[in-house]
Amino acid sequence: MNRLLSIAAALLLALGAPAAQAALKVLACEPEWAALVQELAGDRATVYLATTGLQDPHHIQARPSLVAAARGSELLVCTGAELETGWLPLLIRQSGNNAIQPGKPGNFEAASFVRKLEVPERLDRADGDVHAAGNPHVQTDPRNILLVAEPLARRLAALDPSGAAVIQARAADFIARWKAAIARWEKEAAPLRGTPIVVQHKAFPYLEQWLGLVQVAALEPKPGIEPTSSHLSAVLAGLQTRPAKMILRAAYNDGRGAEWLAERSKLPIVVLPFTVGGDDQAKDLFALFDDTVQRLLRALP
Ligand SMILES: [Zn+2]
């Protein structure tokens, strides 16, 4: 509990939001949405964060401190698209908080404003952790952050009418700076276009689509299933016919499978922050993509 509170406090401090003045109590499921709320609302919101950049957002425990935060929240901001299906429905139920139930204005699902990739044609448990709504890891493409920013600003303003003008002004400023940053990232990342990659988890289809990376293999035999030695051997063999240039994993992934493959294939491992706080550089949304692009460029041969 203390750890989570101190993370929330650290985030607020980092973003310069004094808790005492805050109007709206927000519970964010993932750090990228906490950071986006802070960009848009500033000190009109206090944000409690359910997961850190080093936690797997698919699987966390609904601890008592988190249930208490959900009970006191006026707005829940989560990815949706079944990312949190293992813990969020239970958390919402346990909170007893009517305002944040699905379908209420206090329940905001970021992924619902994004066109999802990898929407399965059929659903079969045997395929692993496959989501009916498509791949939920939408935050790895900054253009998706842009798609979420406007509806999120509108939602924040609706729930905080006295802060609406401030929020709309902050949103316009953020969107302008974000669009400029996207143009800069795309220019910097141009040499990455067409780069074949191996990924640990299918966590990067939006990043791949944005920067033109080409996924040739995944270390997980099925989404959500840790790499097995037989599958790793098959991936290594497959690289003979479909070579790759780097192995991508998120900061929160167990690194052993990637290390096994790197040792034998001599490919560099790129540990991406994946979200705000995933590494020391990724302190806010801008730094998250600065760092992501730079880490990918450094791994190019
Ligand atoms: Zn996933």
Side-chain angles (χ1 to χ4, degrees):
M1 157 155 188
N2 287 334
R3 198 171 127 251
L4 258 184
L5 282 178
S6 63
I7 289 161
L11 184 79
L12 292 174
L13 271 179
L15 297 162
Q21 292 172 18
L24 196 70
K25 291 192 202 68
V26 180
L27 172 59
C29 285
E30 292 84 23
E32 63 271 24
W33 308 130
L36 186 56
V37 169
Q38 290 292 348
E39 291 280 359
L40 301 172
D43 63 7
R44 302 296 313 182
T46 44
V47 185
Y48 186 96
L49 190 48
T51 61
T52 76
L54 295 173
Q55 279 179 312
D56 181 345
H58 304 87
H59 307 288
I60 65 156
Q61 296 292 323
R63 299 165 306 276
S65 57
L66 187 51
V67 177
R71 188 170 298 135
S73 293
E74 296 159 89
L75 174 63
L76 191 69
V77 181
C78 297
T79 298
E82 300 180 8
L83 176 63
E84 305 97 346
T85 196
W87 56 275
L88 188 58
L90 179 68
L91 177 67
I92 292 175
R93 208 159 52 241
Q94 287 180 335
S95 77
N97 181 351
N98 195 43
I100 62 168
Q101 302 295 319
K104 298 277 180 170
N107 185 304
F108 183 92
E109 284 199 2
S112 66
F113 300 95
V114 171
R115 200 173 64 81
K116 254 81 72 204
L117 300 173
E118 299 181 350
V119 179
E121 277 166 32
R122 59 179 195 117
L123 259 190
D124 189 337
R125 285 254 168 248
D127 293 335
D129 220 352
V130 175
H131 304 294
N135 192 297
H137 303 295
V138 299
Q139 87 285 0
T140 60
D141 182 342
R143 298 171 304 179
N144 288 344
I145 304 283
L146 195 59
L147 290 175
V148 174
E150 267 186 54
L152 181 55
R154 275 199 298 277
R155 190 70 63 89
L156 288 162
L159 293 172
D160 176 17
S162 60
V166 172
I167 292 166
Q168 291 304 346
R170 289 187 66 102
D173 177 60
F174 170 77
I175 287 167
R177 287 183 296 123
W178 194 250
K179 282 180 176 168
I182 290 175
R184 177 166 56 77
W185 292 319
E186 289 179 351
K187 212 169 152 194
E188 288 170 359
L192 292 163
R193 201 148 280 282
T195 302
I197 58 168
V198 176
V199 301
Q200 171 134 357
H201 175 67
K202 288 196 175 180
F204 306 104
Y206 300 91
L207 180 73
E208 290 157 15
Q209 189 188 53
W210 177 45
L211 296 182
L213 306 170
V214 183
Q215 185 197 304
V216 299
L219 301 186
E220 290 182 349
K222 287 169 184 174
I225 310 293
E226 287 297 325
T228 58
S229 48
S230 63
H231 181 70
L232 286 172
S233 299
V235 170
L236 180 63
L239 289 175
Q240 301 296 324
T241 46
R242 283 192 84 188
K245 288 194 174 152
M246 53 187 84
I247 305 164
L248 266 57
R249 72 169 177 87
Y252 74 79
N253 289 139
D254 182 320
R256 284 171 294 181
E259 276 152 30
W260 185 95
L261 187 68
E263 231 166 74
R264 286 155 185 83
S265 64
K266 306 297 173 213
L267 292 177
I269 299 173
V270 185
V271 181
L272 292 179
F274 196 58
T275 183
V276 175
D279 64 28
D280 290 345
Q281 282 76 46
K283 289 190 194 312
D284 61 23
L285 284 168
F286 291 91
L288 167 64
F289 287 95
D290 283 338
D291 188 48
T292 298
V293 168
Q294 289 309 318
R295 279 172 187 264
L296 290 166
L297 287 170
R298 280 201 297 273
L300 274 183

PDB file of all heavy atoms in Angstrom, residues 82-98:
ATOM      1  N   GLU A  82     -10.182  -5.593 -22.925  1.00  0.00           N
ATOM      2  CA  GLU A  82      -9.911  -6.836 -22.173  1.00  0.00           C
ATOM      3  C   GLU A  82      -8.508  -6.895 -21.581  1.00  0.00           C
ATOM      4  O   GLU A  82      -8.127  -7.930 -21.035  1.00  0.00           O
ATOM      5  CB  GLU A  82     -10.149  -8.082 -23.023  1.00  0.00           C
ATOM      6  CG  GLU A  82     -11.584  -8.187 -23.522  1.00  0.00           C
ATOM      7  CD  GLU A  82     -11.819  -9.420 -24.364  1.00  0.00           C
ATOM      8  OE1 GLU A  82     -10.925 -10.279 -24.450  1.00  0.00           O
ATOM      9  OE2 GLU A  82     -12.916  -9.528 -24.935  1.00  0.00           O
ATOM     10  N   LEU A  83      -7.721  -5.823 -21.658  1.00  0.00           N
ATOM     11  CA  LEU A  83      -6.377  -5.884 -21.071  1.00  0.00           C
ATOM     12  C   LEU A  83      -6.452  -6.209 -19.578  1.00  0.00           C
ATOM     13  O   LEU A  83      -5.688  -7.021 -19.072  1.00  0.00           O
ATOM     14  CB  LEU A  83      -5.640  -4.549 -21.271  1.00  0.00           C
ATOM     15  CG  LEU A  83      -4.251  -4.455 -20.612  1.00  0.00           C
ATOM     16  CD1 LEU A  83      -3.290  -5.483 -21.205  1.00  0.00           C
ATOM     17  CD2 LEU A  83      -3.673  -3.054 -20.729  1.00  0.00           C
ATOM     18  N   GLU A  84      -7.408  -5.558 -18.889  1.00  0.00           N
ATOM     19  CA  GLU A  84      -7.483  -5.698 -17.429  1.00  0.00           C
ATOM     20  C   GLU A  84      -8.552  -6.694 -17.007  1.00  0.00           C
ATOM     21  O   GLU A  84      -9.004  -6.680 -15.858  1.00  0.00           O
ATOM     22  CB  GLU A  84      -7.761  -4.333 -16.789  1.00  0.00           C
ATOM     23  CG  GLU A  84      -6.797  -3.219 -17.157  1.00  0.00           C
ATOM     24  CD  GLU A  84      -7.304  -2.330 -18.283  1.00  0.00           C
ATOM     25  OE1 GLU A  84      -8.281  -2.722 -18.961  1.00  0.00           O
ATOM     26  OE2 GLU A  84      -6.718  -1.248 -18.517  1.00  0.00           O
ATOM     27  N   THR A  85      -8.931  -7.568 -17.930  1.00  0.00           N
ATOM     28  CA  THR A  85     -10.067  -8.446 -17.657  1.00  0.00           C
ATOM     29  C   THR A  85      -9.815  -9.385 -16.471  1.00  0.00           C
ATOM     30  O   THR A  85     -10.750  -9.831 -15.817  1.00  0.00           O
ATOM     31  CB  THR A  85     -10.440  -9.230 -18.947  1.00  0.00           C
ATOM     32  OG1 THR A  85     -11.731  -9.769 -18.790  1.00  0.00           O
ATOM     33  CG2 THR A  85      -9.447 -10.327 -19.281  1.00  0.00           C
ATOM     34  N   GLY A  86      -8.532  -9.642 -16.157  1.00  0.00           N
ATOM     35  CA  GLY A  86      -8.196 -10.532 -15.049  1.00  0.00           C
ATOM     36  C   GLY A  86      -8.345  -9.903 -13.672  1.00  0.00           C
ATOM     37  O   GLY A  86      -8.280 -10.613 -12.668  1.00  0.00           O
ATOM     38  N   TRP A  87      -8.506  -8.586 -13.592  1.00  0.00           N
ATOM     39  CA  TRP A  87      -8.564  -7.961 -12.260  1.00  0.00           C
ATOM     40  C   TRP A  87      -9.523  -6.789 -12.136  1.00  0.00           C
ATOM     41  O   TRP A  87     -10.040  -6.515 -11.065  1.00  0.00           O
ATOM     42  CB  TRP A  87      -7.155  -7.532 -11.822  1.00  0.00           C
ATOM     43  CG  TRP A  87      -6.432  -6.613 -12.787  1.00  0.00           C
ATOM     44  CD1 TRP A  87      -5.692  -6.988 -13.878  1.00  0.00           C
ATOM     45  CD2 TRP A  87      -6.382  -5.185 -12.760  1.00  0.00           C
ATOM     46  NE1 TRP A  87      -5.179  -5.886 -14.518  1.00  0.00           N
ATOM     47  CE2 TRP A  87      -5.576  -4.761 -13.849  1.00  0.00           C
ATOM     48  CE3 TRP A  87      -6.931  -4.215 -11.911  1.00  0.00           C
ATOM     49  CZ2 TRP A  87      -5.317  -3.419 -14.123  1.00  0.00           C
ATOM     50  CZ3 TRP A  87      -6.664  -2.870 -12.171  1.00  0.00           C
ATOM     51  CH2 TRP A  87      -5.862  -2.493 -13.270  1.00  0.00           C
ATOM     52  N   LEU A  88      -9.795  -6.091 -13.255  1.00  0.00           N
ATOM     53  CA  LEU A  88     -10.583  -4.859 -13.132  1.00  0.00           C
ATOM     54  C   LEU A  88     -12.069  -5.083 -12.814  1.00  0.00           C
ATOM     55  O   LEU A  88     -12.628  -4.384 -11.970  1.00  0.00           O
ATOM     56  CB  LEU A  88     -10.404  -4.001 -14.393  1.00  0.00           C
ATOM     57  CG  LEU A  88     -11.008  -2.605 -14.335  1.00  0.00           C
ATOM     58  CD1 LEU A  88     -10.460  -1.783 -13.180  1.00  0.00           C
ATOM     59  CD2 LEU A  88     -10.804  -1.885 -15.661  1.00  0.00           C
ATOM     60  N   PRO A  89     -12.724  -6.051 -13.479  1.00  0.00           N
ATOM     61  CA  PRO A  89     -14.138  -6.263 -13.146  1.00  0.00           C
ATOM     62  C   PRO A  89     -14.350  -6.555 -11.659  1.00  0.00           C
ATOM     63  O   PRO A  89     -15.272  -6.027 -11.023  1.00  0.00           O
ATOM     64  CB  PRO A  89     -14.537  -7.459 -14.019  1.00  0.00           C
ATOM     65  CG  PRO A  89     -13.578  -7.422 -15.172  1.00  0.00           C
ATOM     66  CD  PRO A  89     -12.276  -6.920 -14.578  1.00  0.00           C
ATOM     67  N   LEU A  90     -13.441  -7.362 -11.099  1.00  0.00           N
ATOM     68  CA  LEU A  90     -13.525  -7.686  -9.667  1.00  0.00           C
ATOM     69  C   LEU A  90     -13.296  -6.423  -8.834  1.00  0.00           C
ATOM     70  O   LEU A  90     -14.007  -6.171  -7.850  1.00  0.00           O
ATOM     71  CB  LEU A  90     -12.482  -8.749  -9.329  1.00  0.00           C
ATOM     72  CG  LEU A  90     -12.423  -9.178  -7.862  1.00  0.00           C
ATOM     73  CD1 LEU A  90     -13.683  -9.940  -7.463  1.00  0.00           C
ATOM     74  CD2 LEU A  90     -11.178 -10.031  -7.587  1.00  0.00           C
ATOM     75  N   LEU A  91     -12.308  -5.632  -9.242  1.00  0.00           N
ATOM     76  CA  LEU A  91     -11.994  -4.397  -8.508  1.00  0.00           C
ATOM     77  C   LEU A  91     -13.193  -3.453  -8.506  1.00  0.00           C
ATOM     78  O   LEU A  91     -13.561  -2.893  -7.465  1.00  0.00           O
ATOM     79  CB  LEU A  91     -10.776  -3.715  -9.151  1.00  0.00           C
ATOM     80  CG  LEU A  91     -10.369  -2.366  -8.548  1.00  0.00           C
ATOM     81  CD1 LEU A  91      -9.861  -2.535  -7.127  1.00  0.00           C
ATOM     82  CD2 LEU A  91      -9.313  -1.683  -9.411  1.00  0.00           C
ATOM     83  N   ILE A  92     -13.816  -3.294  -9.677  1.00  0.00           N
ATOM     84  CA  ILE A  92     -14.970  -2.389  -9.771  1.00  0.00           C
ATOM     85  C   ILE A  92     -16.108  -2.902  -8.882  1.00  0.00           C
ATOM     86  O   ILE A  92     -16.746  -2.148  -8.164  1.00  0.00           O
ATOM     87  CB  ILE A  92     -15.435  -2.253 -11.250  1.00  0.00           C
ATOM     88  CG1 ILE A  92     -14.376  -1.506 -12.069  1.00  0.00           C
ATOM     89  CG2 ILE A  92     -16.772  -1.540 -11.327  1.00  0.00           C
ATOM     90  CD1 ILE A  92     -14.682  -1.415 -13.560  1.00  0.00           C
ATOM     91  N   ARG A  93     -16.297  -4.233  -8.920  1.00  0.00           N
ATOM     92  CA  ARG A  93     -17.360  -4.818  -8.104  1.00  0.00           C
ATOM     93  C   ARG A  93     -17.073  -4.595  -6.619  1.00  0.00           C
ATOM     94  O   ARG A  93     -17.927  -4.159  -5.866  1.00  0.00           O
ATOM     95  CB  ARG A  93     -17.487  -6.311  -8.429  1.00  0.00           C
ATOM     96  CG  ARG A  93     -18.875  -6.863  -8.212  1.00  0.00           C
ATOM     97  CD  ARG A  93     -19.152  -8.135  -8.979  1.00  0.00           C
ATOM     98  NE  ARG A  93     -18.164  -9.181  -8.805  1.00  0.00           N
ATOM     99  CZ  ARG A  93     -17.435  -9.700  -9.792  1.00  0.00           C
ATOM    100  NH1 ARG A  93     -17.598  -9.266 -11.023  1.00  0.00           N
ATOM    101  NH2 ARG A  93     -16.564 -10.659  -9.564  1.00  0.00           N
ATOM    102  N   GLN A  94     -15.829  -4.888  -6.231  1.00  0.00           N
ATOM    103  CA  GLN A  94     -15.474  -4.754  -4.811  1.00  0.00           C
ATOM    104  C   GLN A  94     -15.514  -3.309  -4.335  1.00  0.00           C
ATOM    105  O   GLN A  94     -15.708  -3.055  -3.150  1.00  0.00           O
ATOM    106  CB  GLN A  94     -14.068  -5.319  -4.567  1.00  0.00           C
ATOM    107  CG  GLN A  94     -14.022  -6.841  -4.632  1.00  0.00           C
ATOM    108  CD  GLN A  94     -12.613  -7.370  -4.379  1.00  0.00           C
ATOM    109  OE1 GLN A  94     -11.626  -6.674  -4.613  1.00  0.00           O
ATOM    110  NE2 GLN A  94     -12.527  -8.602  -3.918  1.00  0.00           N
ATOM    111  N   SER A  95     -15.325  -2.368  -5.256  1.00  0.00           N
ATOM    112  CA  SER A  95     -15.299  -0.955  -4.853  1.00  0.00           C
ATOM    113  C   SER A  95     -16.676  -0.494  -4.382  1.00  0.00           C
ATOM    114  O   SER A  95     -16.789   0.431  -3.581  1.00  0.00           O
ATOM    115  CB  SER A  95     -14.853  -0.074  -6.025  1.00  0.00           C
ATOM    116  OG  SER A  95     -15.912   0.099  -6.959  1.00  0.00           O
ATOM    117  N   GLY A  96     -17.732  -1.122  -4.896  1.00  0.00           N
ATOM    118  CA  GLY A  96     -19.086  -0.687  -4.566  1.00  0.00           C
ATOM    119  C   GLY A  96     -19.364   0.739  -5.039  1.00  0.00           C
ATOM    120  O   GLY A  96     -20.298   1.384  -4.578  1.00  0.00           O
ATOM    121  N   ASN A  97     -18.548   1.240  -5.940  1.00  0.00           N
ATOM    122  CA  ASN A  97     -18.648   2.631  -6.404  1.00  0.00           C
ATOM    123  C   ASN A  97     -19.466   2.669  -7.685  1.00  0.00           C
ATOM    124  O   ASN A  97     -18.991   2.259  -8.748  1.00  0.00           O
ATOM    125  CB  ASN A  97     -17.233   3.179  -6.613  1.00  0.00           C
ATOM    126  CG  ASN A  97     -17.235   4.629  -7.069  1.00  0.00           C
ATOM    127  OD1 ASN A  97     -18.264   5.200  -7.399  1.00  0.00           O
ATOM    128  ND2 ASN A  97     -16.051   5.222  -7.078  1.00  0.00           N
ATOM    129  N   ASN A  98     -20.673   3.186  -7.586  1.00  0.00           N
ATOM    130  CA  ASN A  98     -21.585   3.180  -8.727  1.00  0.00           C
ATOM    131  C   ASN A  98     -21.085   4.067  -9.869  1.00  0.00           C
ATOM    132  O   ASN A  98     -21.324   3.779 -11.046  1.00  0.00           O
ATOM    133  CB  ASN A  98     -22.971   3.640  -8.269  1.00  0.00           C
ATOM    134  CG  ASN A  98     -24.038   3.306  -9.293  1.00  0.00           C
ATOM    135  OD1 ASN A  98     -24.034   2.196  -9.851  1.00  0.00           O
ATOM    136  ND2 ASN A  98     -24.915   4.250  -9.563  1.00  0.00           N
TER     137      ASN A  98
END
